[in-house]
Amino acid sequence: MRALQVEAFGDPSALKVSDIAGRAPNKGEVQLRVAGVGVGYFDGLLIKGEYQIKPPLPFVPGSSFSGTVEAVGEGVSHLKVGDAVAGFAFMGAMAEQLTLPAMSCFPLPAQLKLEDAANFFIAYATGLYGLREIGNLKADETLLVLGASGTTGSTAIEIAKAMGARVIACAGTEEKRQRCLDAGADAVVDYTDPEWRKAAKSAAGSKGIDVVYDPVGGTTAEPALRLLNPGGRFLVVGFVTGIASIPLNLPLLKQCSIHGVNWGGAVMTSPAIVPPVISTLVEWTLAGKLKPQADQRFALEQAGEAFAALFERRSVGTIVICPQE
């Protein structure tokens, strides 16, 4: 089968397609024909060798995916050949076929387009888990999203709006801010402007800001935290521009709290959290509350281009690699 294979840690933009052997499913496993794979920073860091866990070389990257069951191993009862699924694998999805534990796959209704579910298990699941379970976002609250035009930020906008919250989105270009408005943001802020905090305060109005969703980190985190209302929650989601340094007197003075959103770690320790999250994403998609269509689609041979756009922060919205194209 055709697959992206990492033979040495390094720049994801240098990835090439290789022909490698697939394998039949063992007991408790399924083999899938992969329809779509979400592209995120986690995958890129794994390829670079900069993630805290380094898989043995060579390996096939790709973690959040959708596909169709082609073969079922002994003992698998909740899936059958022909079923559409979304799922999560630490790696291995950026290939035409994927064999993995059946319990890592969640069945999808037939009316849901497969490629649209490719980002369910990373970006969308992180957003819903972070905002609902960790951030306790309420329908009448205001959310500030940093890095709001990318995969992580734009999916958080959609989810927050589905939850009934008001959303202020921060993005650095006019095109990116328009993408945020298209995702449902109520207001947008150019946070490359030195006075961006004033603009955010103005957009929030008298109700202020209750929750910050931060996949960016770096120097933007502290001024964003300073915008929070008493009782506000700052959600640490990622570090695209570097790990932030926040003086710990600020949460005390602001009467706010800082929470880490580690969906992958939570799934590994508590797998029971998965079904309620994915079920909600499917339900909201079918109801039209979420629109998970990929903004950018790439073939396997174009994966390097997809990662380059991601790490250079040129990409807008969600990215999906389609191995069958």
Side-chain angles (χ1 to χ4, degrees):
M1 64 178 178
R2 294 162 58 249
L4 293 175
Q5 186 161 258
V6 179
E7 298 180 354
F9 295 115
D11 187 351
S13 65
L15 285 172
K16 303 293 183 184
V17 176
S18 302
D19 286 317
I20 65 173
R23 68 175 180 87
N26 295 320
K27 184 176 180 179
E29 293 185 323
V30 291
Q31 183 184 71
L32 307 178
R33 176 182 172 89
V34 181
V37 187
V39 175
Y41 281 95
F42 163 76
D43 306 293
L45 293 176
L46 206 65
I47 294 165
K48 287 182 172 185
E50 296 177 1
Y51 192 67
Q52 52 261 43
I53 300 172
K54 290 187 178 183
L57 297 167
F59 70 92
V60 175
S63 50
S64 179
F65 62 85
S66 57
T68 305
V69 177
E70 289 191 318
V72 176
E74 178 187 350
V76 176
S77 58
H78 76 292
L79 295 174
K80 65 183 184 302
V81 173
D83 280 353
V85 300
F88 173 81
F90 183 68
M91 55 188 180
M94 291 187 182
E96 291 178 317
Q97 291 181 323
L98 172 63
T99 300
L100 78 167
M103 296 308 295
S104 298
C105 301
F106 190 92
L108 298 172
Q111 59 266 48
L112 190 63
K113 188 177 179 181
L114 265 179
E115 290 89 342
D116 292 348
N119 277 294
F120 269 4
F121 261 79
I122 298 291
Y124 278 97
T126 298
L128 181 56
Y129 172 74
L131 293 172
R132 186 173 69 179
E133 272 69 43
I134 304 298
N136 196 28
L137 180 68
K138 299 291 194 299
D140 61 345
E141 291 187 318
T142 297
L143 171 72
L144 179 74
V145 182
L146 305 179
S149 66
T151 297
T152 306
S154 62
T155 51
I157 293 171
E158 286 189 63
I159 289 163
K161 293 307 298 178
M163 295 174 68
R166 186 168 185 270
V167 178
I168 302 170
C170 297
T173 69
E174 185 174 347
E175 177 192 7
K176 290 180 177 182
R177 290 190 290 276
Q178 183 58 53
R179 176 61 178 84
C180 296
L181 292 171
D182 293 343
D186 298 281
V188 290
V189 171
D190 178 2
Y191 66 168
T192 65
D193 185 331
E195 301 295 316
W196 74 269
R197 288 180 69 246
K198 291 182 179 179
K201 281 185 178 181
S202 175
S206 60
K207 295 190 69 174
I209 294 169
D210 303 290
V211 180
V212 172
Y213 192 84
D214 181 16
V216 177
T219 59
T220 312
E222 181 181 331
L225 184 144
R226 289 179 181 272
L227 289 167
L228 280 172
N229 290 332
R233 290 84 72 199
F234 186 97
L235 303 181
V236 181
V237 184
F239 313 100
V240 173
T241 62
I243 296 175
S245 296
I246 296 178
L248 286 181
N249 66 317
L250 281 181
L252 184 151
L253 296 172
K254 294 292 297 182
Q255 303 174 60
C256 66
S257 55
I258 300 173
H259 302 266
V261 179
N262 185 353
W263 164 251
V267 168
M268 292 177 69
T269 56
S270 305
I273 70 173
V274 173
V277 169
I278 304 303
S279 295
T280 299
L281 294 177
V282 171
E283 176 188 337
W284 286 356
T285 299
L286 294 178
K289 294 181 179 180
L290 302 178
K291 296 179 173 59
Q293 297 90 344
D295 290 87
Q296 299 169 79
R297 295 164 54 106
F298 296 85
L300 275 180
E301 288 80 3
Q302 300 171 308
E305 180 184 342
F307 277 106
L310 181 73
F311 276 94
E312 293 168 13
R313 303 190 70 185
R314 292 184 284 106
S315 62
V316 176
T318 54
I319 306 172
V320 173
I321 288 178
C322 301
Q324 307 302 328
E325 294 184 356

